[in-house]
Amino acid sequence: MRAIYLTFILLLSVFLGGCTLFEKEPDTSVFYAPHADDETLSLGPSILRQIDKGNEIAVVLLSHGEASQSIKKINENLREKNMPPISKEEFGNSRVKEFKKSVGELGVKSENVFVHDLPDGEINENDVMKIMEEMNERFPEARHHALTYNDPHKDHAASGSALKKLVEEGIIQSALYYLPVQEFENLDFDDTYPVPDELTEEYRKSLGAYRVWKPDEGFYRIGYTSVESYFVEAWKYRESRWHR
């Protein structure tokens, strides 16, 4: 009996002390994808979890991804089909189209999709912080989701470190940091969000948005051409791995 009483007192003191043990999960979430495909490969299962709960979702693309070397392979494919090559700008615009199709398949409302054009390969932490502050004003009390600051990819890490700073400064109150699918076996995490069973088809279609080849409509299968193995891994795991 004494043990039960002491446990009750401990839990009560933790609650009154403001510990997040009893914190209600925010019903609005903002997700940040440094590049097109990050939103489905690494964040997609978590996005679907929020949609399944009926929560409001916003997804932010930070760059057009024009620095990707896969443009060379895309243009090779076009030449083989006797079609003209595309420019870096057209390539970046096509990546944005893939991104928008992908988040649409996940079920994100078009009015909650935001696209920026930070320099791919040189995403600056301060620039990301400005975007996050704007989103925090637009969606007050939301939880913010970014790739981890431990990510070996510097653009990914910049998004995570920007969010971490805003949390430390007290500007953003709630945040989670995600492992990129290609680092699942290399980085530590706290927990996972699997794809809800009833939304498995939505996840499959979201991944599939990056394998569409319709040059006349501006789709060049960029995602799968660039990192096909990541898509294979994402479908195998079908979960987001995160830490606080």
Side-chain angles (χ1 to χ4, degrees), residues 30-34 43 60 62 131-132 135-136 144-147 159:
V30 182
F31 291 82
Y32 299 91
L43 304 173
V60 182
L62 297 177
I131 292 171
M132 289 179 170
M135 296 305 295
N136 191 47
H144 295 251
H145 307 250
L147 293 181
S159 67

Side-chain angles (χ1 to χ4, degrees), residues 52 194-202 238:
D52 190 47
V195 172
D197 290 340
E198 63 273 22
L199 296 178
T200 300
E201 181 64 12
E202 281 79 355
R238 279 175 256 178

Side-chain angles (χ1 to χ4, degrees), residues 19 53 69 92 118 138 216 242:
C19 177
K53 289 163 68 80
Q69 293 302 302
L118 299 182
R138 185 184 291 266
D216 291 342
W242 54 267

Side-chain angles (χ1 to χ4, degrees), residues 139-174:
F139 299 98
E141 300 182 7
R143 172 171 286 171
H144 295 251
H145 307 250
L147 293 181
T148 176
Y149 44 82
N150 296 321
D151 196 314
H153 193 302
K154 64 180 184 179
D155 281 356
H156 294 181
S159 67
S161 60
L163 181 55
K164 186 171 184 288
K165 279 192 174 181
L166 290 171
V167 170
E168 290 171 347
E169 293 173 6
I171 296 172
I172 287 177
Q173 302 301 317
S174 184

Side-chain angles (χ1 to χ4, degrees), residues 41-231:
L41 292 175
S42 305
L43 304 173
S46 184
I47 291 172
L48 287 172
R49 175 181 178 271
Q50 295 298 323
I51 289 174
D52 190 47
K53 289 163 68 80
N55 292 342
E56 185 172 14
I57 309 298
V59 182
V60 182
L61 179 64
L62 297 177
S63 78
H64 286 197
E66 294 179 359
S68 171
Q69 293 302 302
S70 61
I71 188 173
K72 297 176 182 177
K73 180 61 178 176
I74 299 300
N75 281 333
E76 286 177 12
N77 294 340
L78 288 168
R79 280 191 289 269
E80 288 174 1
K81 299 178 184 301
N82 296 314
M83 301 179 72
I86 58 175
S87 66
K88 275 194 172 184
E89 182 179 1
E90 291 171 318
F91 177 80
N93 290 338
S94 180
R95 295 199 70 183
V96 172
K97 291 188 72 170
E98 289 184 341
F99 164 79
K100 288 183 175 180
K101 180 173 177 58
S102 173
V103 293
E105 297 291 3
L106 288 173
V108 181
K109 298 175 184 177
S110 59
E111 61 266 29
N112 283 351
V113 177
F114 303 86
V115 177
H116 293 270
D117 193 14
L118 299 182
D120 183 20
E122 298 180 9
I123 291 179
N124 182 280
E125 181 183 280
N126 291 329
D127 291 335
V128 179
M129 289 176 69
K130 291 177 184 177
I131 292 171
M132 289 179 170
E133 288 183 90
E134 291 172 3
M135 296 305 295
N136 191 47
E137 291 179 5
R138 185 184 291 266
F139 299 98
E141 300 182 7
R143 172 171 286 171
H144 295 251
H145 307 250
L147 293 181
T148 176
Y149 44 82
N150 296 321
D151 196 314
H153 193 302
K154 64 180 184 179
D155 281 356
H156 294 181
S159 67
S161 60
L163 181 55
K164 186 171 184 288
K165 279 192 174 181
L166 290 171
V167 170
E168 290 171 347
E169 293 173 6
I171 296 172
I172 287 177
Q173 302 301 317
S174 184
L176 293 181
Y177 307 90
Y178 291 77
L179 277 60
V181 69
Q182 64 271 25
E183 298 292 339
F184 269 14
E185 302 305 322
N186 300 322
L187 298 175
D188 294 332
F189 61 98
D190 291 337
D191 208 342
T192 69
Y193 288 144
V195 172
D197 290 340
E198 63 273 22
L199 296 178
T200 300
E201 181 64 12
E202 281 79 355
Y203 191 52
R204 184 189 66 79
K205 289 180 178 179
S206 175
L207 294 170
Y210 287 94
R211 67 189 309 169
V212 176
W213 176 265
K214 292 183 178 180
D216 291 342
E217 298 178 20
F219 288 95
Y220 301 98
R221 200 177 185 269
I222 295 172
Y224 266 80
T225 300
S226 177
V227 288
E228 183 174 352
S229 63
Y230 296 177
F231 285 85

